[in-house]
Amino acid sequence: NLTEGQYGLATGILMMVDKSSPVYPQAEALRGIVLSQQEKYNEALAPLLIARQVGNPEEGARWDNMLTLNVARANYGAGNYAGAIEHFEDVSRESEFWPESVFERAWAHFRLDDMNGALAQLHTLDTPYFEAWYLPEADLLRTYSLFMMCKFPQATKEIDAFAARWSPTRDALTSSIAGTSRQQAWDDVKALDEGKATKLPTEVLQRFAKEDRIHDAFATVAKADDELGRLQAASASPFAAQARDWLTQRRAEIIDIEGQRVLDSAERARAQLADMLNNVDITRLDMMQFETQLYERAAVTGTLEFGDPIGKLRKLRKQRGTRVWPYEGEIWADELGWYVYDARPDCPEGLQAR
């Protein structure tokens, strides 16, 4: 019912699950997701927190991290960005959900006008450890954060890099989606799971690599293939022939449904990427307008109001117990998630971008 958008019916069924039932935490977690889908974020918090508190012994830490991420998302949707950040921080660095929490935490910092906080989180995702990840929105958010701080030269470089990095992916998606059937989309995800080449861009398919639903579908189809082999041996039986027809039909339905989901996901990625590439071009024009205002003001006042660019650095060098050295691009895995930015905005008073 959730998949089909029948939210009221899904909620009603879930509320019938008794607290003593072993699936009660799953029911509460799903109820929170249903409410979030309806943008009832404040209402979604209670069942999500209950599900996390009750726990799920079968999944253990994975369950806790998944629920923590969803609690953070509900807080973000409710506009409680500080609360969202607190819960995003609680997602374990060892969890498969941690990179998502880092990216979404960056958005929460951005919403709080904390551009340094946003850039610090995004720096983790810009390291070589995440080169294979599909994160165009993270690159776009970095550009917006620099724009909001009036760091126009760096933001322009980010825009150029964004177009160079993601235009080929958009083109590859456009050409590959057109000739891909549901069966081929299904085969692509299976190939990805087995470490083989794919027709659709691999980076767009990565989200399915850890998805429980698609792996359940793989297991179901594998069982169906095994059963069809057994039924073939009993082909003389009328019942076996009927059962084989039913099983073949159901197997095809699963592949069609999941293959269409993969195609829909790829199409959404293509459309979103096309919009992002258009938006960065608009941002480029906005930056040109702000830069013009900046230099017009400088022409009147006789100075560019950027403040003291190295004053803070000089103070740090004199601070007892502090050592300052130039950053030369070194990246260490244990530093991921711990980066701190302390960059001052270059916006003169009254000229901050909005």
Side-chain angles (χ1 to χ4, degrees):
N1 279 290
L2 168 62
T3 304
E4 294 176 1
Q6 301 292 332
Y7 301 127
L9 187 55
T11 301
I13 294 170
L14 291 166
M15 292 181 70
M16 294 170 65
V17 178
D18 192 86
K19 292 182 179 180
S20 62
S21 168
V23 297
Y24 177 67
Q26 290 97 318
E28 285 297 276
L30 189 55
R31 188 161 71 90
I33 292 170
V34 171
L35 290 166
S36 293
Q37 288 292 317
Q38 296 174 279
E39 299 185 0
K40 297 178 180 179
Y41 300 111
N42 284 314
E43 294 179 42
L45 283 168
L48 289 172
L49 288 167
I50 289 170
R52 186 176 65 172
Q53 183 178 7
V54 175
N56 184 344
E58 291 184 8
E59 294 204 45
R62 185 176 187 272
W63 174 265
D64 293 338
N65 284 303
M66 180 180 66
L67 265 296
T68 299
L69 180 59
N70 279 308
V71 169
R73 287 170 170 170
N75 274 284
Y76 182 94
N80 181 10
Y81 303 122
I85 290 171
E86 180 182 347
H87 290 289
F88 284 133
E89 286 179 326
D90 287 342
V91 177
S92 170
R93 293 176 84 253
E94 289 74 35
S95 169
E96 66 194 85
F97 305 113
W98 183 71
E100 294 177 65
S101 74
V102 171
F103 168 60
E104 294 178 34
R105 178 183 166 187
W107 266 114
H109 283 283
F110 183 84
R111 293 292 188 182
L112 285 172
D113 286 334
D114 176 18
M115 303 308 154
N116 277 311
L119 288 168
Q121 296 304 305
L122 294 170
H123 186 73
T124 288
L125 302 178
D126 198 34
T127 63
Y129 296 99
F130 293 94
E131 280 181 343
W133 283 65
Y134 181 74
L135 295 167
E137 195 176 343
D139 293 343
L140 199 62
L141 181 57
R142 186 180 301 105
T143 300
Y144 289 158
S145 298
L146 292 166
F147 173 47
M148 296 292 286
M149 298 175 78
C150 297
K151 295 187 177 294
F152 301 128
Q154 185 59 36
T156 299
K157 290 180 182 177
E158 292 289 341
I159 288 175
D160 293 339
F162 185 88
R165 167 67 181 85
W166 295 109
S167 292
T169 303
R170 176 204 55 197
D171 297 341
L173 277 168
T174 301
S175 60
S176 60
I177 290 172
T180 302
S181 67
R182 295 172 185 173
Q183 177 69 58
Q184 289 171 322
W186 165 273
D187 292 340
D188 254 7
V189 180
K190 274 194 69 66
L192 175 70
D193 197 50
E194 296 166 0
K196 299 176 182 177
T198 62
K199 180 180 179 182
L200 293 167
T202 302
E203 56 195 351
V204 177
L205 297 174
Q206 283 289 353
R207 65 174 290 263
F208 293 101
K210 63 182 180 183
E211 188 191 69
D212 293 337
R213 172 172 168 170
I214 198 76
H215 285 95
D216 287 345
F218 289 157
T220 301
V221 169
K223 289 178 181 178
D225 289 339
D226 182 60
E227 191 65 26
L228 285 168
R230 297 183 188 185
L231 289 169
Q232 187 64 37
S235 57
S237 166
F239 172 76
Q242 182 63 68
R244 189 168 59 250
D245 289 344
W246 288 335
L247 196 54
T248 300
Q249 181 180 352
R250 181 58 186 147
R251 179 186 182 280
E253 286 175 356
I254 292 172
I255 291 174
D256 273 355
I257 291 170
E258 298 305 314
Q260 187 61 54
R261 272 205 319 124
V262 174
L263 285 174
D264 289 344
S265 176
E267 174 54 33
R268 282 195 301 272
R270 186 208 61 76
Q272 289 168 357
L273 200 50
D275 285 343
M276 289 179 194
L277 287 162
N278 289 333
N279 287 338
V280 292
D281 285 337
I282 295 171
T283 301
R284 190 194 300 274
L285 295 174
D286 288 339
M287 281 196 299
M288 291 172 62
Q289 180 182 355
F290 273 100
E291 277 190 292
T292 300
Q293 293 180 36
L294 190 68
Y295 290 119
E296 285 175 350
R297 178 177 295 197
V300 174
T301 62
T303 181
L304 281 171
E305 302 172 50
F306 285 162
D308 182 2
I310 60 173
K312 186 176 291 186
L313 182 61
R314 287 197 183 107
K315 290 178 182 178
L316 282 173
R317 287 185 183 278
K318 295 177 181 178
Q319 186 174 322
R320 190 172 181 177
T322 300
R323 182 180 177 87
V324 178
W325 68 91
Y327 173 71
E328 297 177 344
E330 65 275 11
I331 300 292
W332 299 89
D334 59 354
E335 293 177 348
L336 299 179
W338 298 107
Y339 295 109
V340 174
Y341 263 64
D342 188 16
R344 62 169 168 70
D346 290 339
C347 303
E349 187 177 349
L351 196 61
Q352 186 172 1
R354 285 290 178 213

